[in-house]
Amino acid sequence: MQTPDQPLHDEAAAPAPATRARGRPRAFDREAALSKAMRLFWQKGYEATSLADLTTAMGIASPSLYAAFGSKEALFVEALNHYGATYAWGWKNFLDAPTARDAVKAWLMDSAAFLTGGVEDVPLGCMATLSVIGAAGHQELCEQTRTARAAPRAVVRKRLEQGAANGEIPASVDLDALARFVQIVQNGMSLHARDGASRAELEAAVQVAMRSWDALVEG
Amino acid sequence: MQTPDQPLHDEAAAPAPATRARGRPRAFDREAALSKAMRLFWQKGYEATSLADLTTAMGIASPSLYAAFGSKEALFVEALNHYGATYAWGWKNFLDAPTARDAVKAWLMDSAAFLTGGVEDVPLGCMATLSVIGAAGHQELCEQTRTARAAPRAVVRKRLEQGAANGEIPASVDLDALARFVQIVQNGMSLHARDGASRAELEAAVQVAMRSWDALVEG
């Protein structure tokens, strides 16, 4: 097993040789290769994805992989960031919604569609939620995925604060608990999507979850 | 890597030699070794748990491990069953509760305690929920964990049916959606527990979830 964070090769950092022909295409499309790695980690999880899986999917040999991405661990972190950047549009309906309730419902309903492959042909469930779970000697990696998983709760919490500020949510409501509840539901949906739940089944569960919102807000 | 489901040795099935001394202790305590394997898989997940991790934790050499348990995959399945049998008491309050509402709340509140290590010093989160997530070429294993994960929903569904039959839950309520919602919350709590949520934080989220129940039942 390669040592995390230790590049085995340093070709990427080396200056291009003077004899290199101008305009010569790189041996592989870095962005496309990263996207393939992202899908593989997403589908199989970090641990179950082997170097052979990666080189096959990415269409490059392992020295090129190490040269371009450093290590399996570093590649995963880059793939996770790529995931975040690629699917940032998933928050659009949330951010555009006029009320905090609409925002939360939009995020959960959009999640029901996205997590079950209803928006794009991608692996089921959320990459950040499902691809690194344990604490398997990859301390930094676990920390990174924990941070990635915590991020949506902060976004939801902020939107709830706005809802409380404009009187939509009574002051008596525990916003931390409500934000955590919303994220617990979204995370649980990832697992159910991976286990085969349909979009309609998740949407029905979201409808139940939104009853909590209404009960809380109506006091 | 060993081939799943193919025992490498068959010592366990072989008849004891006639010269074996009566009362001679087995080379290791099978139950204790299984319990150690369970905790390791639970903590690290199936993929990240190496044979070396297992033999170290179980205090046996790999030939003995294969002789007694067949394969890493077979050992995991046995460990998962051991988990189910060991923590079946987790359903006691659910089954003893007088109403469906009390039952569901008891399961979620007991989960908040158990999943955060508040009941016993065990790994955080649920082994069945967290230790096999992907579809990493272990088709049968994925199927087994999917089945283990689906089982609680059937138990909850049955209790909801009783609640509907005795008039506690109106006929208009979609019991499938309610059962799935309850399990989504419990599964999401596993992930949050693994990521460091406290028992109190999960209990607060359960209180929010129970508002859905009340809103549904009150129509």
Side-chain angles (χ1 to χ4, degrees):
Chain A
M1 191 185 287
Q2 75 278 16
T3 311
D5 301 321
Q6 286 298 328
L8 299 191
H9 299 264
D10 206 17
E11 291 164 22
T19 54
R20 189 171 172 175
R22 271 184 301 172
R24 178 187 159 201
R26 290 196 59 153
F28 69 103
D29 180 339
R30 194 177 191 283
E31 178 93 357
L34 183 60
S35 182
K36 301 261 193 200
M38 174 193 74
R39 278 180 171 251
L40 200 56
F41 283 131
W42 187 353
Q43 170 92 49
K44 300 186 70 169
Y46 177 78
E47 288 292 342
T49 301
S50 69
L51 187 60
D53 292 334
L54 288 165
T55 54
T56 302
M58 296 165 81
I60 55 173
S62 56
S64 304
L65 186 152
Y66 287 120
F69 298 102
S71 66
K72 181 185 165 188
E73 197 162 19
L75 173 58
F76 178 84
V77 171
E78 213 175 313
L80 187 64
N81 291 335
H82 185 64
Y83 173 82
T86 306
Y87 299 105
W89 52 254
W91 287 93
K92 189 178 178 305
N93 290 332
F94 175 91
L95 297 170
D96 287 353
T99 67
R101 186 192 193 281
D102 290 340
V104 165
K105 187 171 181 183
W107 185 48
L108 294 179
M109 291 301 257
D110 285 352
S111 294
F114 178 71
L115 298 173
T116 55
V119 176
E120 204 178 310
D121 180 23
V122 289
L124 301 171
C126 164
M127 180 189 178
T129 305
L130 302 179
S131 55
V132 177
I133 298 281
H138 299 285
Q139 224 39 55
E140 198 185 318
L141 200 62
C142 286
E143 201 49 60
Q144 296 241 18
T145 48
R146 239 195 309 269
T147 302
R149 279 198 286 267
R153 195 164 68 254
V155 176
V156 170
R157 180 68 164 77
K158 196 166 174 186
R159 192 69 188 79
L160 296 183
E161 283 166 29
Q162 292 169 356
N166 67 24
E168 192 197 337
I169 302 172
S172 59
V173 171
D174 178 345
L175 300 187
D176 283 329
L178 184 52
R180 187 173 289 278
F181 167 75
V182 169
Q183 204 200 5
I184 280 175
V185 170
Q186 207 264 358
N187 289 163
M189 286 164 61
S190 258
L191 269 160
H192 282 241
R194 182 61 64 93
D195 281 356
S198 70
R199 175 175 174 173
E201 285 170 330
L202 296 190
E203 286 175 345
V206 172
Q207 298 286 7
V208 176
M210 293 313 296
R211 302 300 292 262
S212 291
W213 180 285
D214 295 330
L216 279 171
V217 167
E218 289 158 15
Chain B
M1 191 184 286
Q2 75 278 15
T3 311
D5 302 321
Q6 285 297 330
L8 298 191
H9 300 262
D10 205 15
E11 291 165 20
T19 54
R20 190 171 171 175
R22 273 184 299 173
R24 178 186 159 200
R26 290 197 59 151
F28 69 102
D29 179 338
R30 194 177 190 284
E31 178 93 356
L34 182 60
S35 182
K36 301 260 194 202
M38 174 193 75
R39 277 181 172 251
L40 200 56
F41 283 131
W42 186 353
Q43 170 93 48
K44 300 186 71 170
Y46 177 79
E47 287 292 342
T49 301
S50 69
L51 186 61
D53 291 334
L54 288 165
T55 54
T56 302
M58 296 164 82
I60 55 174
S62 57
S64 303
L65 186 152
Y66 287 121
F69 298 102
S71 67
K72 181 185 164 188
E73 197 162 19
L75 173 59
F76 177 84
V77 171
E78 214 177 312
L80 187 64
N81 291 335
H82 185 65
Y83 173 82
T86 307
Y87 299 106
W89 52 254
W91 287 93
K92 190 179 178 304
N93 291 332
F94 175 92
L95 297 170
D96 287 353
T99 67
R101 186 191 194 282
D102 290 340
V104 165
K105 186 170 182 184
W107 185 47
L108 294 179
M109 292 301 258
D110 285 352
S111 294
F114 178 70
L115 298 173
T116 56
V119 176
E120 204 178 309
D121 181 23
V122 289
L124 301 171
C126 164
M127 180 191 178
T129 304
L130 302 179
S131 56
V132 178
I133 299 279
H138 298 284
Q139 223 40 53
E140 198 185 316
L141 200 62
C142 286
E143 201 49 60
Q144 296 242 18
T145 48
R146 238 196 310 269
T147 303
R149 279 197 287 266
R153 194 163 70 253
V155 177
V156 170
R157 180 70 164 76
K158 197 166 175 186
R159 192 67 188 81
L160 297 183
E161 283 166 30
Q162 291 170 355
N166 67 24
E168 190 196 339
I169 303 171
S172 58
V173 171
D174 178 346
L175 300 187
D176 284 329
L178 184 52
R180 187 173 289 278
F181 166 75
V182 169
Q183 204 200 6
I184 279 175
V185 170
Q186 207 263 359
N187 290 163
M189 285 164 61
S190 259
L191 269 161
H192 281 242
R194 182 60 63 94
D195 280 356
S198 70
R199 175 176 175 172
E201 285 169 330
L202 296 190
E203 285 175 344
V206 171
Q207 298 286 6
V208 176
M210 293 312 296
R211 302 301 292 262
S212 291
W213 181 284
D214 295 331
L216 279 170
V217 168
E218 288 157 15

